Amino acid sequence: MLGIVQGLTEFLPISSSAHLSIVPKLLGFRTPELAFDVLLHFGTLAAVVVYFARDLWSFVLSLVAPGVLGPQQAAVRRRQLGLLVVASIPAAIFGYLLQDWADAQTSRPLRSAVWLVLTTLIMIAAELWARSHPTAATATAPARPAVAGAFEEPPRTAPAQVQLAAAAPRPMTRAEIRRQRPAAAAPARPGGATEELERLPVGKAVGIGLAQAVALIPGTSRSGVTISAGLFEGISREAAARFSFLLSIPAILGAGLLKLGDLSQASETPGQLAVGFLAAAISGFLAVSFLIRLLRTRTLWPFIWYRLIAGGLFVVLLATVRG
């Protein structure tokens, strides 16, 4: 069961650290040992690696066999890889310095529940910002040629302007006014998010990387805070989610490698470890696929309401148990 909880909450913006701390306490389970927690994280790592296998293979080819991709696509992939490396630096630094503090916070379920509610304010602010700036968060620009340098953005070409004769104004009906109101999330056209990431500016990538470092706070959710950062920067929800998940690969791998030695101290049987790994991997893959599809046409509000309601209930229940 904990494997499923880890897989779903690692990638859905509802915080895996908070749920792994709270759920065992509420259900009377033994708190999972660090070794089992490390294995569950490797399961979610396997999920995101499998989902983005084609992208990861393209990164490899862009370095060792660029001719297979062609010079234009190889340059694009090398630039994306460079952005992921640069954006991973903040989380690596803060993770190394503050991991013990984060683990101490996670070991207190009530505190994790409070953080779950409080850090939801980041997602609320991001959605309100995107709503007031609809074109920034939902527009998809046309594809552009590959870059020449590692981080250089493609040249921006202004679209041709067509002058039309002004039509005589007439009063708008109520139905027309409703149709002109910004939608919750404009549907993304096929390939739009991928093309958007191909021209992602360095500064915006670093901003998402800094947001990932904030995810050390239990209850924050790595995907929730990084997608929120993307919304503040005017990136579409789907593109922000894709970059967030790609960015999670080095983060999860690095955290797992730092604690790899703890696997030898696991008290669970090999069968229990295997079941936990597979449960985390399968549920994690489904969570990644579901969220990316959802954010093509929807917002983060369903997860915001879940965090507020569930977090409030967790606080009440844990305070009762504690009392």
Side-chain angles (χ1 to χ4, degrees):
M1 180 177 180
L2 293 180
I4 297 175
V5 171
Q6 166 65 22
L8 293 177
T9 59
E10 177 69 32
F11 299 115
L12 297 180
I14 55 178
S15 177
S16 63
S17 59
H19 282 77
L20 283 180
S21 174
I22 295 168
V23 170
K25 178 71 173 179
L26 291 179
L27 298 183
F29 293 168
R30 179 173 57 89
T31 302
E33 296 183 4
L34 184 58
F36 189 65
D37 183 62
V38 171
L39 194 72
L40 295 184
H41 278 80
F42 276 117
T44 54
L45 175 64
V48 74
V49 166
V50 170
Y51 187 89
F52 288 101
R54 183 178 299 180
D55 296 86
L56 297 176
W57 181 240
S58 295
F59 292 152
V60 174
L61 291 178
S62 70
L63 297 176
V64 301
V68 176
L69 299 176
Q72 179 175 336
Q73 187 61 23
V76 169
R77 288 299 185 175
R78 283 195 298 270
R79 180 177 185 273
Q80 288 181 322
L81 182 59
L83 292 178
L84 290 170
V85 171
V86 171
S88 297
I89 294 175
I93 295 174
F94 285 99
Y96 179 79
L97 296 176
L98 301 176
Q99 188 60 58
D100 291 340
W101 173 85
D103 290 341
Q105 299 297 308
T106 305
S107 65
R108 298 175 173 86
L110 180 58
R111 188 171 298 182
S112 295
V114 172
W115 278 117
L116 181 64
V117 175
L118 293 179
T119 54
T120 307
L121 296 176
I122 300 173
M123 296 169 59
I124 294 175
E127 280 296 344
L128 293 177
W129 171 269
R131 183 177 181 181
S132 62
H133 301 75
T135 55
T138 60
T140 303
R144 295 186 175 93
V147 296
F151 296 109
E152 181 184 350
E153 282 189 81
R156 298 180 178 273
T157 304
Q161 300 292 326
V162 179
Q163 297 294 332
L164 300 176
R170 65 174 179 82
M172 296 178 64
T173 66
R174 291 185 178 180
E176 289 173 332
I177 294 174
R178 284 195 298 269
R179 285 196 296 268
Q180 285 198 353
R181 290 176 181 170
R189 64 183 176 84
T194 301
E195 295 169 4
E196 191 176 355
L197 290 181
E198 289 178 359
R199 58 180 186 277
L200 183 68
V202 180
K204 292 185 177 182
V206 172
I208 295 176
L210 288 170
Q212 182 175 238
V214 177
L216 284 170
I217 301 174
T220 304
S221 168
R222 179 187 291 111
S223 62
V225 72
T226 49
I227 294 172
S228 295
L231 290 179
F232 281 123
E233 295 175 331
I235 303 171
S236 70
R237 292 171 180 83
E238 183 188 355
R242 294 184 69 88
F243 192 78
S244 169
F245 291 145
L246 285 169
L247 197 59
S248 73
I249 294 176
I252 298 174
L253 178 61
L257 291 177
L258 287 176
K259 301 175 180 177
L260 192 61
D262 296 304
L263 281 177
S264 61
Q265 304 173 10
S267 61
E268 291 81 6
T269 66
Q272 290 174 325
L273 294 175
V275 170
F277 177 89
L278 290 175
I282 294 173
S283 58
F285 182 90
L286 294 175
V288 171
S289 178
F290 167 76
L291 187 61
I292 288 180
R293 289 177 179 272
L294 179 76
L295 293 182
R296 288 173 185 166
T297 56
R298 297 292 184 268
T299 68
L300 294 173
W301 281 108
F303 304 104
I304 290 173
W305 287 115
Y306 169 83
R307 290 168 62 99
L308 292 175
I309 296 171
L313 289 175
F314 289 157
V315 170
V316 172
L317 293 174
L318 288 170
T320 302
V321 171
R322 187 179 185 182

